[in-house]
Structures are given as C-alpha cells and as structure tokens.
Amino acid sequence: MTRGRFITVEGIEGVGKSTNMTFIATMLDESGIPVLRSREPGGTPTAERIREILLEHGDEPMPPIAEMLLFFASRSLHLENAIRPALAAGTWVLCDRFTDASRAYQGIARQLGLERIDTLADWVHDGLEPDLTLLLDAPSAVGLSRAGRRGQADRMESETESFYERAREAYLQLARENPQRFRVIDAAQPLKSVQAAIAEMVRGLIEKSHQ
C-alpha cells in the first residue's frame, strides 16, 4: 500500500488557515484521496485535553519551557495515535500547524532557541516530516485585525503584535531555509487568489505521488 502524504498549513493568527484547510480537504476528497484533517495542539482525545490547558487563561502562569514541552507531549500523542497510522494506511494527513509552529512561536517568538525545538523534534518525529508545508503569510497587523473579529481570544491569541511579527519573520526564515518543503502564499490577497495558488501546489503533490 502506498504511504499517504503529509500536508501542514502554517501561519500566524488570522491568515485563513481554517478556511483553506476546508478548501484543501475538499480538493483531496474530490480527487478520490482519503484524508484525515487534524490540528495542533490536538488531534487525539488526550492531545485535545492538553490543547485546553495550553489555550486557557489559567490562574497559574505558563512558563515558556512548560508551554514548549506540553506542545511536544501533545504532538507525540498525535503522531503515534493518529498521524502515523493514517499515513501507513494510505490516508493523506492535512494538519493545521505542526512543529514549524513550535519553531516560530516557542523557538523564536518566545526566545527559547531553535536548538531546543529541533532536539525535541528529532526525538518525537523519529524521522517523519511533512511532504508539503503551506505557509499562509500576512503582516501581523492584517492577521490580528482578522482574528479580532472571531470573538474572545485564547491565551495564545492574546500576545502583542510584536510577538506575532517575530513569529511571522521566523516562519519566513524557515521557508527560506527549507525551500524543498515550504511554499509561501500571500494570504493578504483576495481569497480566490490564495486558493488558486494553494490548488496549484496541492495538485503538484498529487501528481508527484502518482509518479
């Protein structure tokens, strides 16, 4: 059985990840490709419980290192209990954020350093990386303006604009360093243009998988 493909969608708040996840999932379904749509943190029952801890406005402060370790605990559950079994069964996995988010948010924006993130990633991933990472990019002011229309912000959505700008720049740097995997899409343009670019890139992966 052919292994499934692993697509991740990355970007700061308000860049349209949820809308475009639905677009990609529909595109794969219409192409006859079985797809598991998931998210991080989360993706399994226990990982979703960790998500609640990470996103809630709790009374106890959340140290950056604790935040980082909780993300990777959730990711380990997600990988072993959902992502790897799906890929082995030939199902494509479409995930709203993955370890590049930890690199951008905890590694750079929280200033914990990429070395720590990559050490944990090597341990938890055990060689598994996305086949394609779509980075939806927009200035932090644009993203925060859009995100503000969604209602009350969770803990991770409540950071300063400078925090998100650091995360955005980290994402763009990751894309420059990993051009074989990343595709950067201007998410500030009209949705129709964004989805045309996404469709071209996903079709390319579909065609490559048939070779």
Side-chain angles (χ1 to χ4, degrees):
M1 182 179 295
T2 303
R3 172 191 173 277
R5 296 292 183 264
F6 186 16
I7 301 174
T8 56
V9 180
E10 297 280 359
I12 63 170
E13 275 61 30
V15 294
K17 293 190 308 301
S18 296
T19 297
N20 288 299
M21 285 275 294
T22 299
F23 173 76
I24 298 167
T26 300
M27 182 179 175
L28 293 173
D29 184 63
E30 291 176 348
S31 299
I33 296 172
V35 58
L36 170 66
R37 176 174 171 172
S38 196
R39 67 180 182 177
E40 289 214 343
T44 74
T46 305
E48 289 290 333
R49 288 163 61 190
I50 297 174
R51 178 187 179 90
E52 293 175 6
I53 295 170
L54 280 163
L55 300 188
E56 69 185 5
H57 292 281
D59 295 330
E60 182 179 1
M62 176 74 73
I65 291 177
E67 180 182 275
M68 176 180 69
L69 292 172
L70 283 170
F71 270 107
F72 272 97
S74 171
R75 184 163 297 131
S76 177
L77 289 159
H78 192 200
L79 276 165
E80 297 308 315
N81 298 334
I83 294 175
R84 291 187 195 278
L87 294 174
T91 298
W92 286 39
V93 175
L94 174 61
C95 193
D96 184 341
R97 292 198 171 125
F98 192 58
T99 302
D100 292 309
S102 292
R103 294 183 175 107
Y105 280 76
Q106 284 78 48
I108 300 300
R110 295 269 193 244
Q111 301 179 354
L112 290 176
L114 292 178
E115 183 177 353
R116 287 173 168 172
I117 303 297
D118 288 337
T119 295
L120 287 169
D122 288 344
W123 191 17
V124 172
H125 289 204
D126 193 24
L128 179 63
E129 293 289 344
D131 296 285
L132 173 65
T133 296
L134 299 172
L135 174 56
L136 302 179
D137 176 61
S140 55
V142 172
L144 289 176
S145 175
R146 292 175 178 174
R149 303 173 198 149
R150 299 195 300 231
Q152 185 174 2
D154 62 38
R155 189 182 67 85
M156 292 299 295
E157 293 172 338
S158 301
E159 293 290 345
T160 63
E161 184 175 334
S162 62
F163 174 88
Y164 294 116
E165 194 59 34
R166 290 197 302 273
R168 181 200 179 199
E169 290 302 321
Y171 269 130
L172 291 171
Q173 182 63 34
L174 288 168
R176 288 190 289 269
E177 293 173 354
N178 299 275
Q180 75 286 353
R181 175 167 64 85
F182 270 85
R183 299 293 181 270
V184 181
I185 298 162
D186 179 4
Q189 63 184 328
L191 180 60
K192 185 175 181 180
S193 300
V194 171
Q195 293 185 339
I198 289 173
E200 180 181 356
M201 295 166 188
V202 173
R203 276 196 297 268
L205 183 60
I206 293 172
E207 291 169 0
K208 183 178 178 181
S209 70
H210 290 159
Q211 294 175 357

PDB file of all heavy atoms in Angstrom, residues 50-73:
ATOM      1  N   ILE A  50      -4.752  18.362  26.361  1.00  0.00           N
ATOM      2  CA  ILE A  50      -3.566  19.210  26.515  1.00  0.00           C
ATOM      3  C   ILE A  50      -3.798  20.552  25.830  1.00  0.00           C
ATOM      4  O   ILE A  50      -3.375  21.604  26.333  1.00  0.00           O
ATOM      5  CB  ILE A  50      -2.318  18.506  25.955  1.00  0.00           C
ATOM      6  CG1 ILE A  50      -2.025  17.230  26.748  1.00  0.00           C
ATOM      7  CG2 ILE A  50      -1.107  19.445  25.983  1.00  0.00           C
ATOM      8  CD1 ILE A  50      -0.905  16.385  26.188  1.00  0.00           C
ATOM      9  N   ARG A  51      -4.484  20.531  24.700  1.00  0.00           N
ATOM     10  CA  ARG A  51      -4.809  21.779  23.990  1.00  0.00           C
ATOM     11  C   ARG A  51      -5.580  22.736  24.904  1.00  0.00           C
ATOM     12  O   ARG A  51      -5.304  23.939  24.928  1.00  0.00           O
ATOM     13  CB  ARG A  51      -5.636  21.465  22.742  1.00  0.00           C
ATOM     14  CG  ARG A  51      -6.061  22.710  21.949  1.00  0.00           C
ATOM     15  CD  ARG A  51      -7.016  22.360  20.818  1.00  0.00           C
ATOM     16  NE  ARG A  51      -7.418  23.555  20.095  1.00  0.00           N
ATOM     17  CZ  ARG A  51      -6.772  24.051  19.038  1.00  0.00           C
ATOM     18  NH1 ARG A  51      -5.695  23.450  18.589  1.00  0.00           N
ATOM     19  NH2 ARG A  51      -7.192  25.145  18.439  1.00  0.00           N
ATOM     20  N   GLU A  52      -6.524  22.197  25.631  1.00  0.00           N
ATOM     21  CA  GLU A  52      -7.318  23.030  26.537  1.00  0.00           C
ATOM     22  C   GLU A  52      -6.427  23.725  27.559  1.00  0.00           C
ATOM     23  O   GLU A  52      -6.617  24.912  27.864  1.00  0.00           O
ATOM     24  CB  GLU A  52      -8.375  22.176  27.237  1.00  0.00           C
ATOM     25  CG  GLU A  52      -9.458  21.643  26.307  1.00  0.00           C
ATOM     26  CD  GLU A  52     -10.414  20.705  27.016  1.00  0.00           C
ATOM     27  OE1 GLU A  52     -10.295  20.564  28.255  1.00  0.00           O
ATOM     28  OE2 GLU A  52     -11.281  20.106  26.346  1.00  0.00           O
ATOM     29  N   ILE A  53      -5.460  22.987  28.087  1.00  0.00           N
ATOM     30  CA  ILE A  53      -4.533  23.574  29.062  1.00  0.00           C
ATOM     31  C   ILE A  53      -3.704  24.682  28.415  1.00  0.00           C
ATOM     32  O   ILE A  53      -3.498  25.753  29.000  1.00  0.00           O
ATOM     33  CB  ILE A  53      -3.606  22.491  29.639  1.00  0.00           C
ATOM     34  CG1 ILE A  53      -4.419  21.470  30.448  1.00  0.00           C
ATOM     35  CG2 ILE A  53      -2.506  23.108  30.507  1.00  0.00           C
ATOM     36  CD1 ILE A  53      -3.620  20.241  30.859  1.00  0.00           C
ATOM     37  N   LEU A  54      -3.235  24.437  27.209  1.00  0.00           N
ATOM     38  CA  LEU A  54      -2.373  25.405  26.530  1.00  0.00           C
ATOM     39  C   LEU A  54      -3.105  26.689  26.161  1.00  0.00           C
ATOM     40  O   LEU A  54      -2.507  27.771  26.151  1.00  0.00           O
ATOM     41  CB  LEU A  54      -1.779  24.770  25.262  1.00  0.00           C
ATOM     42  CG  LEU A  54      -0.582  23.853  25.493  1.00  0.00           C
ATOM     43  CD1 LEU A  54      -0.345  22.964  24.282  1.00  0.00           C
ATOM     44  CD2 LEU A  54       0.660  24.670  25.821  1.00  0.00           C
ATOM     45  N   LEU A  55      -4.386  26.588  25.842  1.00  0.00           N
ATOM     46  CA  LEU A  55      -5.105  27.755  25.328  1.00  0.00           C
ATOM     47  C   LEU A  55      -5.920  28.503  26.370  1.00  0.00           C
ATOM     48  O   LEU A  55      -6.323  29.644  26.131  1.00  0.00           O
ATOM     49  CB  LEU A  55      -6.028  27.330  24.167  1.00  0.00           C
ATOM     50  CG  LEU A  55      -5.340  26.687  22.960  1.00  0.00           C
ATOM     51  CD1 LEU A  55      -6.336  26.510  21.827  1.00  0.00           C
ATOM     52  CD2 LEU A  55      -4.138  27.503  22.485  1.00  0.00           C
ATOM     53  N   GLU A  56      -6.154  27.890  27.517  1.00  0.00           N
ATOM     54  CA  GLU A  56      -6.999  28.550  28.509  1.00  0.00           C
ATOM     55  C   GLU A  56      -6.251  29.674  29.221  1.00  0.00           C
ATOM     56  O   GLU A  56      -5.024  29.654  29.354  1.00  0.00           O
ATOM     57  CB  GLU A  56      -7.488  27.527  29.544  1.00  0.00           C
ATOM     58  CG  GLU A  56      -6.386  27.005  30.461  1.00  0.00           C
ATOM     59  CD  GLU A  56      -6.877  25.909  31.392  1.00  0.00           C
ATOM     60  OE1 GLU A  56      -8.045  25.493  31.262  1.00  0.00           O
ATOM     61  OE2 GLU A  56      -6.078  25.454  32.241  1.00  0.00           O
ATOM     62  N   HIS A  57      -7.014  30.651  29.682  1.00  0.00           N
ATOM     63  CA  HIS A  57      -6.456  31.719  30.505  1.00  0.00           C
ATOM     64  C   HIS A  57      -6.481  31.240  31.953  1.00  0.00           C
ATOM     65  O   HIS A  57      -7.411  31.526  32.708  1.00  0.00           O
ATOM     66  CB  HIS A  57      -7.274  32.997  30.347  1.00  0.00           C
ATOM     67  CG  HIS A  57      -7.166  33.630  28.994  1.00  0.00           C
ATOM     68  ND1 HIS A  57      -6.077  34.391  28.629  1.00  0.00           N
ATOM     69  CD2 HIS A  57      -7.991  33.602  27.920  1.00  0.00           C
ATOM     70  CE1 HIS A  57      -6.242  34.839  27.390  1.00  0.00           C
ATOM     71  NE2 HIS A  57      -7.393  34.365  26.937  1.00  0.00           N
ATOM     72  N   GLY A  58      -5.478  30.488  32.346  1.00  0.00           N
ATOM     73  CA  GLY A  58      -5.444  29.931  33.694  1.00  0.00           C
ATOM     74  C   GLY A  58      -4.921  30.925  34.719  1.00  0.00           C
ATOM     75  O   GLY A  58      -4.326  31.955  34.380  1.00  0.00           O
ATOM     76  N   ASP A  59      -5.132  30.605  35.988  1.00  0.00           N
ATOM     77  CA  ASP A  59      -4.640  31.461  37.072  1.00  0.00           C
ATOM     78  C   ASP A  59      -3.131  31.315  37.271  1.00  0.00           C
ATOM     79  O   ASP A  59      -2.472  32.226  37.751  1.00  0.00           O
ATOM     80  CB  ASP A  59      -5.357  31.115  38.379  1.00  0.00           C
ATOM     81  CG  ASP A  59      -6.843  31.431  38.324  1.00  0.00           C
ATOM     82  OD1 ASP A  59      -7.214  32.378  37.605  1.00  0.00           O
ATOM     83  OD2 ASP A  59      -7.622  30.723  38.989  1.00  0.00           O
ATOM     84  N   GLU A  60      -2.608  30.141  36.899  1.00  0.00           N
ATOM     85  CA  GLU A  60      -1.181  29.876  37.087  1.00  0.00           C
ATOM     86  C   GLU A  60      -0.397  30.289  35.848  1.00  0.00           C
ATOM     87  O   GLU A  60      -0.771  29.924  34.728  1.00  0.00           O
ATOM     88  CB  GLU A  60      -0.976  28.386  37.370  1.00  0.00           C
ATOM     89  CG  GLU A  60       0.470  28.005  37.639  1.00  0.00           C
ATOM     90  CD  GLU A  60       0.618  26.524  37.932  1.00  0.00           C
ATOM     91  OE1 GLU A  60      -0.397  25.800  37.905  1.00  0.00           O
ATOM     92  OE2 GLU A  60       1.751  26.084  38.186  1.00  0.00           O
ATOM     93  N   PRO A  61       0.680  31.050  35.996  1.00  0.00           N
ATOM     94  CA  PRO A  61       1.488  31.439  34.829  1.00  0.00           C
ATOM     95  C   PRO A  61       2.018  30.210  34.083  1.00  0.00           C
ATOM     96  O   PRO A  61       2.326  29.185  34.697  1.00  0.00           O
ATOM     97  CB  PRO A  61       2.631  32.252  35.429  1.00  0.00           C
ATOM     98  CG  PRO A  61       2.117  32.705  36.756  1.00  0.00           C
ATOM     99  CD  PRO A  61       1.212  31.616  37.246  1.00  0.00           C
ATOM    100  N   MET A  62       2.135  30.335  32.764  1.00  0.00           N
ATOM    101  CA  MET A  62       2.652  29.263  31.926  1.00  0.00           C
ATOM    102  C   MET A  62       4.079  29.616  31.488  1.00  0.00           C
ATOM    103  O   MET A  62       4.273  30.428  30.587  1.00  0.00           O
ATOM    104  CB  MET A  62       1.769  29.064  30.689  1.00  0.00           C
ATOM    105  CG  MET A  62       2.285  28.026  29.700  1.00  0.00           C
ATOM    106  SD  MET A  62       2.092  26.324  30.257  1.00  0.00           S
ATOM    107  CE  MET A  62       0.322  26.109  30.068  1.00  0.00           C
ATOM    108  N   PRO A  63       5.107  29.036  32.104  1.00  0.00           N
ATOM    109  CA  PRO A  63       6.476  29.315  31.672  1.00  0.00           C
ATOM    110  C   PRO A  63       6.688  28.847  30.226  1.00  0.00           C
ATOM    111  O   PRO A  63       6.120  27.828  29.816  1.00  0.00           O
ATOM    112  CB  PRO A  63       7.331  28.492  32.644  1.00  0.00           C
ATOM    113  CG  PRO A  63       6.434  28.191  33.800  1.00  0.00           C
ATOM    114  CD  PRO A  63       5.061  28.100  33.236  1.00  0.00           C
ATOM    115  N   PRO A  64       7.488  29.564  29.438  1.00  0.00           N
ATOM    116  CA  PRO A  64       7.719  29.165  28.049  1.00  0.00           C
ATOM    117  C   PRO A  64       8.201  27.723  27.890  1.00  0.00           C
ATOM    118  O   PRO A  64       7.794  27.030  26.944  1.00  0.00           O
ATOM    119  CB  PRO A  64       8.770  30.170  27.568  1.00  0.00           C
ATOM    120  CG  PRO A  64       8.511  31.385  28.384  1.00  0.00           C
ATOM    121  CD  PRO A  64       8.122  30.868  29.735  1.00  0.00           C
ATOM    122  N   ILE A  65       9.064  27.252  28.779  1.00  0.00           N
ATOM    123  CA  ILE A  65       9.560  25.878  28.655  1.00  0.00           C
ATOM    124  C   ILE A  65       8.428  24.877  28.882  1.00  0.00           C
ATOM    125  O   ILE A  65       8.317  23.876  28.167  1.00  0.00           O
ATOM    126  CB  ILE A  65      10.731  25.625  29.621  1.00  0.00           C
ATOM    127  CG1 ILE A  65      11.958  26.422  29.182  1.00  0.00           C
ATOM    128  CG2 ILE A  65      11.063  24.138  29.688  1.00  0.00           C
ATOM    129  CD1 ILE A  65      13.150  26.292  30.109  1.00  0.00           C
ATOM    130  N   ALA A  66       7.564  25.140  29.871  1.00  0.00           N
ATOM    131  CA  ALA A  66       6.425  24.258  30.104  1.00  0.00           C
ATOM    132  C   ALA A  66       5.514  24.249  28.883  1.00  0.00           C
ATOM    133  O   ALA A  66       5.013  23.189  28.471  1.00  0.00           O
ATOM    134  CB  ALA A  66       5.654  24.711  31.340  1.00  0.00           C
ATOM    135  N   GLU A  67       5.296  25.423  28.291  1.00  0.00           N
ATOM    136  CA  GLU A  67       4.480  25.519  27.080  1.00  0.00           C
ATOM    137  C   GLU A  67       5.070  24.658  25.965  1.00  0.00           C
ATOM    138  O   GLU A  67       4.361  23.879  25.317  1.00  0.00           O
ATOM    139  CB  GLU A  67       4.401  26.981  26.636  1.00  0.00           C
ATOM    140  CG  GLU A  67       3.584  27.207  25.377  1.00  0.00           C
ATOM    141  CD  GLU A  67       3.605  28.672  24.982  1.00  0.00           C
ATOM    142  OE1 GLU A  67       2.784  29.445  25.504  1.00  0.00           O
ATOM    143  OE2 GLU A  67       4.468  29.051  24.152  1.00  0.00           O
ATOM    144  N   MET A  68       6.365  24.793  25.763  1.00  0.00           N
ATOM    145  CA  MET A  68       7.035  24.023  24.723  1.00  0.00           C
ATOM    146  C   MET A  68       6.892  22.516  24.954  1.00  0.00           C
ATOM    147  O   MET A  68       6.577  21.754  24.024  1.00  0.00           O
ATOM    148  CB  MET A  68       8.517  24.402  24.678  1.00  0.00           C
ATOM    149  CG  MET A  68       9.345  23.584  23.699  1.00  0.00           C
ATOM    150  SD  MET A  68      11.097  24.088  23.701  1.00  0.00           S
ATOM    151  CE  MET A  68      11.618  23.512  25.326  1.00  0.00           C
ATOM    152  N   LEU A  69       7.085  22.072  26.181  1.00  0.00           N
ATOM    153  CA  LEU A  69       7.014  20.645  26.481  1.00  0.00           C
ATOM    154  C   LEU A  69       5.590  20.112  26.341  1.00  0.00           C
ATOM    155  O   LEU A  69       5.386  18.974  25.888  1.00  0.00           O
ATOM    156  CB  LEU A  69       7.551  20.375  27.882  1.00  0.00           C
ATOM    157  CG  LEU A  69       9.055  20.614  28.061  1.00  0.00           C
ATOM    158  CD1 LEU A  69       9.444  20.517  29.532  1.00  0.00           C
ATOM    159  CD2 LEU A  69       9.871  19.644  27.216  1.00  0.00           C
ATOM    160  N   LEU A  70       4.604  20.917  26.690  1.00  0.00           N
ATOM    161  CA  LEU A  70       3.215  20.492  26.508  1.00  0.00           C
ATOM    162  C   LEU A  70       2.879  20.351  25.029  1.00  0.00           C
ATOM    163  O   LEU A  70       2.181  19.406  24.628  1.00  0.00           O
ATOM    164  CB  LEU A  70       2.264  21.484  27.176  1.00  0.00           C
ATOM    165  CG  LEU A  70       2.158  21.389  28.696  1.00  0.00           C
ATOM    166  CD1 LEU A  70       1.379  22.572  29.253  1.00  0.00           C
ATOM    167  CD2 LEU A  70       1.485  20.077  29.101  1.00  0.00           C
ATOM    168  N   PHE A  71       3.362  21.272  24.214  1.00  0.00           N
ATOM    169  CA  PHE A  71       3.136  21.144  22.773  1.00  0.00           C
ATOM    170  C   PHE A  71       3.723  19.833  22.247  1.00  0.00           C
ATOM    171  O   PHE A  71       3.093  19.133  21.448  1.00  0.00           O
ATOM    172  CB  PHE A  71       3.743  22.334  22.022  1.00  0.00           C
ATOM    173  CG  PHE A  71       2.799  23.485  21.841  1.00  0.00           C
ATOM    174  CD1 PHE A  71       2.961  24.657  22.572  1.00  0.00           C
ATOM    175  CD2 PHE A  71       1.753  23.409  20.947  1.00  0.00           C
ATOM    176  CE1 PHE A  71       2.095  25.722  22.411  1.00  0.00           C
ATOM    177  CE2 PHE A  71       0.875  24.474  20.769  1.00  0.00           C
ATOM    178  CZ  PHE A  71       1.051  25.635  21.508  1.00  0.00           C
ATOM    179  N   PHE A  72       4.915  19.490  22.700  1.00  0.00           N
ATOM    180  CA  PHE A  72       5.535  18.267  22.200  1.00  0.00           C
ATOM    181  C   PHE A  72       4.906  17.014  22.790  1.00  0.00           C
ATOM    182  O   PHE A  72       4.878  15.966  22.137  1.00  0.00           O
ATOM    183  CB  PHE A  72       7.047  18.299  22.406  1.00  0.00           C
ATOM    184  CG  PHE A  72       7.769  18.949  21.268  1.00  0.00           C
ATOM    185  CD1 PHE A  72       8.143  20.280  21.337  1.00  0.00           C
ATOM    186  CD2 PHE A  72       8.044  18.237  20.105  1.00  0.00           C
ATOM    187  CE1 PHE A  72       8.795  20.888  20.271  1.00  0.00           C
ATOM    188  CE2 PHE A  72       8.687  18.836  19.034  1.00  0.00           C
ATOM    189  CZ  PHE A  72       9.065  20.170  19.112  1.00  0.00           C
ATOM    190  N   ALA A  73       4.390  17.092  24.016  1.00  0.00           N
ATOM    191  CA  ALA A  73       3.651  15.954  24.566  1.00  0.00           C
ATOM    192  C   ALA A  73       2.402  15.694  23.726  1.00  0.00           C
ATOM    193  O   ALA A  73       2.096  14.545  23.370  1.00  0.00           O
ATOM    194  CB  ALA A  73       3.274  16.226  26.018  1.00  0.00           C
TER     195      ALA A  73
END
